[in-house]
Each structure stands twice: as C-alpha cells, then as structure tokens.
Amino acid sequence: MGEKMRVDKFISNMGFGSRKDIKEFIKKKKITVNGEVIKKSDIYIDTDDEIFCCGQRVVYEKYIYIMMNKPVGYVSANEDKREKTVFDLIGNEYRKNELFVAGRLDKDTEGLLIITNNGKFAHNMLSPKKHVDKTYFVRIEGGVISDADIDSFSSGIVIDGGYKCKPAKIEVLENGDISESLLTISEGKFHQVKRMFEAVGKKVIFLKRVKIGELCLDESLEKGDFKLLNDDEVRLIGAELE
C-alpha cells in the first residue's frame, strides 16, 4: 500500500497544475482513479492507485528534484517580504510539496540551482564532509590569474577572518585585464568565491554556477527556466531513487 492523500493535492504535487487547475479538470471529467471518473476533489486516494489526468498517468514520486537556471536578482528562499525569490519563478505548481533550495546562490549569482523536498540529500550535498564539488564560471578584474594564485587556491587559501578554505581547483580560460576561469570548490561559505579572489587582490564581476557533483547545468534552460530532473540526472547529484 502507498500513502493516503487527497486527490487534488496528490495530482498538484506531481506537477499537473495548481489545486484550482485540478478542480477544473475534475469538473471536465478529465481525471480517473482506477478507471473511474471522479467528481469531487476532496476524496482520498492511495498513491499506488492507477490515476490519470488529462490522459496522462500520474506516477507517485516521493522526492522531487528541480533544476533551475537561476537569474540574477532573485534570492534563494521560499519567500521574502522585500525581494523576489526563486519560488516566484516556479509559481504554484510545486509549492505544496514542501520544497526548498538545496545549496543557495547569492542574489547577484546565477546558474545551477537545485530545489527539492529531500532533506537528507540536501544535507549530504551541502556537508563539507561529503566533498560534493561545485563548479563556477568566474569573471574577474584586477589582473591575470597567476601560477601563484592557482597554487594558493590548490593548497587552501586563507580568506578574511582567517578561515582556511579547502583545496580548490582553478582552470584558467582567459587571462587579461578581465580574466575568466572555472573554479571548483567542495564547500560553500558565505560569499566564498568572491572572498577567495579578494584574498589574491581580484574582484569577481560575474559568477555563475555550472556544475554540482557530476550534474551540469542544462544550457537549454533560459534564465529563470526550470525542469524536473530525470532518473539519470538524479543519480548524477548522488540522490537515491525511491
């Protein structure tokens, strides 16, 4: 037996629309449970039941993983009284599924963001003990990235406040007055990437997360767009399928 849940909540949580949308589908006789057209939105179903919405099978997934290409100007929070949040971009379809951001990005940082309802996965992804790499595309000003800079990052650079970072890897893409690189770190202190470059006299002017673990940002996603991860992508971020 699966879990008992209201049919409108269940179908909404699986990404078929808001509760209001589901009620409209029910009025239009577009939802069936075990072959029977349902007439009310408050009936309880078993998540193992055979449920169809608008001709499409609704399959229960205990955990949901959403990839977003986060744009600049949005905070990584469920809600904020003053700022726009990434959940404003998602809308209402998944808000009832107890989702949260796993691995926040600063307001002025863009790129790969994972939103999920799997707390254990989020803890493992963020824990320094798990050594989950995060790779950022970084554009800086202040001079070229020198071999000495690379060595400092590799050995564990000391940032303001005296904290020694875990070893990080820099791949230089372009050196000049404006330099570009890929930086891979395995932790996530407050403004860490910016503080690391400040420690070698450089200023980050653009920052984009492009990879978490083995999962790369889907470049087909426009800024602000998102998608559900498929099973293969879920495995790439080290989450267990349940």
Side-chain angles (χ1 to χ4, degrees), residues 71-242:
V72 170
Y74 289 80
V75 297
S76 299
N78 288 63
E79 58 183 4
D80 191 286
K81 294 182 179 179
R82 295 174 297 178
E83 305 283 358
K84 296 177 292 185
T85 79
V86 294
F87 277 86
D88 293 325
L89 296 169
I90 289 179
N92 294 320
E93 287 90 340
Y94 301 101
R95 302 195 74 155
K96 302 299 183 181
N97 214 48
E98 300 178 354
L99 295 169
F100 55 88
V101 175
R104 308 164 80 90
L105 289 175
D106 297 334
K107 180 182 176 181
D108 57 352
T109 301
E110 63 182 66
L112 175 56
L113 193 69
I114 301 297
I115 298 171
T116 185
N117 61 339
N118 186 340
K120 181 179 179 181
F121 155 73
H123 172 76
N124 289 340
M125 191 185 86
L126 299 174
S127 173
K129 295 180 181 179
K130 299 295 182 179
H131 304 290
V132 178
D133 288 339
K134 293 92 177 174
T135 300
Y136 296 81
F137 172 81
V138 190
R139 186 176 293 125
I140 63 166
E141 61 182 12
V144 301
I145 301 171
S146 67
D147 290 341
D149 295 336
I150 295 173
D151 290 342
S152 294
F153 277 60
S154 179
S155 61
I157 193 168
V158 177
I159 58 179
D160 61 291
Y163 176 78
K164 184 175 182 178
C165 300
K166 293 184 180 297
K169 177 185 177 182
I170 300 180
E171 178 185 346
V172 178
L173 303 177
E174 185 174 331
N175 251 337
D177 293 334
I178 302 297
S179 299
E180 296 179 350
S181 68
L182 291 175
L183 173 67
T184 300
I185 60 177
S186 62
E187 54 188 341
K189 300 294 182 181
F190 182 69
H191 290 324
Q192 181 170 341
V193 174
K194 298 172 185 176
R195 293 162 69 192
M196 291 171 78
F197 278 100
E198 285 174 358
V200 292
K202 296 171 177 64
K203 180 181 179 181
V204 172
I205 57 175
F206 178 79
L207 187 59
K208 178 180 181 179
R209 185 159 63 196
V210 296
K211 189 176 182 181
I212 297 175
E214 295 301 317
L215 179 69
C216 295
L217 175 65
D218 186 338
E219 293 295 346
S220 70
L221 291 176
E222 299 290 339
K223 294 177 184 178
D225 285 350
F226 60 93
K227 70 171 189 178
L228 288 173
L229 296 183
N230 59 41
D231 288 353
D232 289 338
E233 291 170 324
V234 169
R235 292 186 183 96
L236 288 176
I237 53 174
E240 296 179 359
L241 298 172
E242 297 195 26

Side-chain angles (χ1 to χ4, degrees), residues 17-28:
S18 65
R19 291 276 192 99
K20 184 178 179 180
D21 294 331
I22 306 308
K23 289 179 180 179
E24 284 298 312
F25 294 151
I26 291 172
K27 286 181 181 179
K28 295 177 180 178

Side-chain angles (χ1 to χ4, degrees), residues 24-39:
E24 284 298 312
F25 294 151
I26 291 172
K27 286 181 181 179
K28 295 177 180 178
K29 300 181 180 181
K30 292 186 175 182
I31 296 177
T32 62
V33 177
N34 297 326
E36 299 289 331
V37 175
I38 63 170
K39 299 179 180 179

